[in-house]
């Protein structure tokens, strides 16, 4: 399964979600390929240190993405692609190959409105491929007491994209994690809330992956 973390807006939490998702899937017992599709290779360093079990691949051109993703998909259980900040052509290539798109979005009405433009390439891919990739919006860097306003619900509804119940709260520990060469659940008790939040979010988005782990664990006993 190819999961693409994509939003053509920069700095919305794509790399943070992609690295944590790759680490989480590895902990569920899956083989994971991580594709760094950003020219700045911002996630490569982090993933190499924090998630060494992931196979790291850099796909820096649209041709690389289109040509190599199918084979990578065969080699491991999950391919996680960290999308580029602003390169629409690379994002298009990813969405033409992906099975699921996770779309992080900062939780302000301006950002949600901007999603219409930021997800245009996603809608084109869905249109061409008969609804694939499936997509879900994940609110990112939200305040602890954040409540979704009616304006934001309406703006999201217009896009016809589901919004995950789980979200990523603005927490210093997420910003610290790359510098510590870690994902949040490796950072001890101060990161406990963040670890639980990430776990809940990924279980919601990928219930099958979490369920498989339960079955596997039960079998071991
Ligand atoms: N939930 C969060 N709480 C606090 N800081 C966060 C959170 N998510 C991301 N950050 C920080 O915000 C910045 C941008 O996040 P990130 O790099 O994940 O976004 P991105 O969408 O991958 O950016 P780019 O488009 O530049 O690749 C980083 O410094 C990151 O550590
Ligand atoms: Mg990034």
């Amino acid at each position: 399964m190819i999961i693409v973390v994509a939003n053509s807006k920069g700095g919305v939490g794509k790399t943070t979600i992609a690295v944590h998702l790759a680490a989480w899937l590895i902990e569920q017992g899956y083989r994971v390929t991580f594709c760094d599709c950003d020219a700045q290779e911002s996630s490569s360093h982090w993933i190499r240190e924090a998630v060494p079990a992931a196979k790291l691949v850099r796909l820096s051109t649209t041709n690389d993405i289109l040509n190599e993703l199918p084979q990578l998909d065969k080699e491991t259980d999950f391919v996680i692609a960290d999308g580029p900040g602003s390169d629409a052509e690379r994002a298009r290539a990813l969405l033409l190959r992906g099975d699921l798109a996770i779309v992080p979005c900062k939780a302000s009405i301006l950002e949600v409105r901007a999603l219409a433009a930021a997800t245009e390439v996603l809608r084109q891919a869905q249109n061409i491929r008969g609804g694939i990739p499936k997509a879900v919006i994940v609110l990112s860097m939200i305040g602890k007491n954040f409540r979704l306003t009616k304006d934001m619900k309406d703006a999201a509804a217009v896009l016809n994209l589901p919004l995950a119940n789980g979200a990523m709260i603005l927490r210093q520990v997420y910003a610290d994690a790359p510098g510590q060469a870690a994902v949040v659940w490796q950072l001890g008790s101060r990161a406990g809330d963040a670890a639980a939040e990430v776990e809940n979010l990924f279980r919601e988005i990928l219930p099958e992956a979490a369920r498989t782990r339960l079955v596997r664990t039960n079998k071991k006993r």
Side-chain angles (χ1 to χ4, degrees), residues 4-215:
V4 178
V5 186
N7 179 339
S8 59
K9 265 204 115 176
V12 293
K14 292 183 292 291
T15 296
T16 303
I17 291 176
V19 168
H20 281 87
L21 179 57
W24 182 77
L25 286 167
I26 282 188
E27 293 208 353
Q28 314 308 299
Y30 295 105
R31 293 166 305 155
V32 173
T33 299
F34 187 95
C35 297
D36 186 351
C37 306
D38 203 331
Q40 290 159 13
E41 299 179 358
S42 50
S43 48
S44 291
H45 196 66
W46 187 9
I47 204 91
R48 213 181 288 121
E49 291 186 331
V51 198
K55 173 180 172 174
L56 172 63
V57 177
R58 296 206 190 97
L59 299 177
S60 46
T61 68
T62 51
N63 279 338
D64 286 351
I65 291 168
L66 290 170
N67 293 337
E68 292 183 32
L69 275 182
Q71 181 58 32
L72 293 171
D73 191 26
K74 283 186 203 142
E75 288 169 9
T76 48
D77 302 312
F78 286 92
V79 175
I80 308 299
D82 181 19
S86 55
D87 185 312
E89 289 317 306
R90 249 176 288 152
R92 194 188 311 280
L94 285 172
L95 293 165
L96 286 172
R97 285 292 188 204
D99 302 302
L100 170 68
I102 297 176
V103 184
C105 178
K106 285 187 181 175
S108 78
I109 184 65
L110 293 178
E111 296 272 347
V112 175
R113 281 191 192 135
L115 263 185
T119 53
E120 186 182 8
V121 175
L122 167 65
R123 274 191 307 280
Q124 290 168 345
Q126 287 180 328
N127 190 267
I128 291 167
R129 301 174 66 200
I132 302 170
K134 271 176 53 184
V136 59
I137 300 172
V138 172
L139 293 180
S140 169
M141 301 186 222
I142 63 174
K144 262 196 186 124
N145 299 318
F146 170 81
R147 291 275 168 278
L148 203 61
T149 63
K150 184 170 179 309
D151 277 0
M152 288 180 54
K153 280 187 194 158
D154 290 349
V158 169
L159 294 171
N160 212 7
L161 292 174
L163 191 62
N165 290 320
M168 305 283 282
I169 290 178
L170 183 73
R171 300 178 193 273
Q172 185 59 39
V173 73
Y174 287 117
D176 292 345
Q180 308 266 333
V183 289
V184 289
W185 55 87
Q186 296 162 345
L187 291 177
S189 56
R190 82 182 177 104
D193 289 347
E197 161 179 295
V198 170
E199 170 88 23
N200 286 338
L201 175 65
F202 295 155
R203 279 174 172 271
E204 178 190 347
I205 296 178
L206 293 170
E208 293 306 322
R211 233 175 269 146
T212 317
R213 174 177 65 165
L214 290 182
V215 173

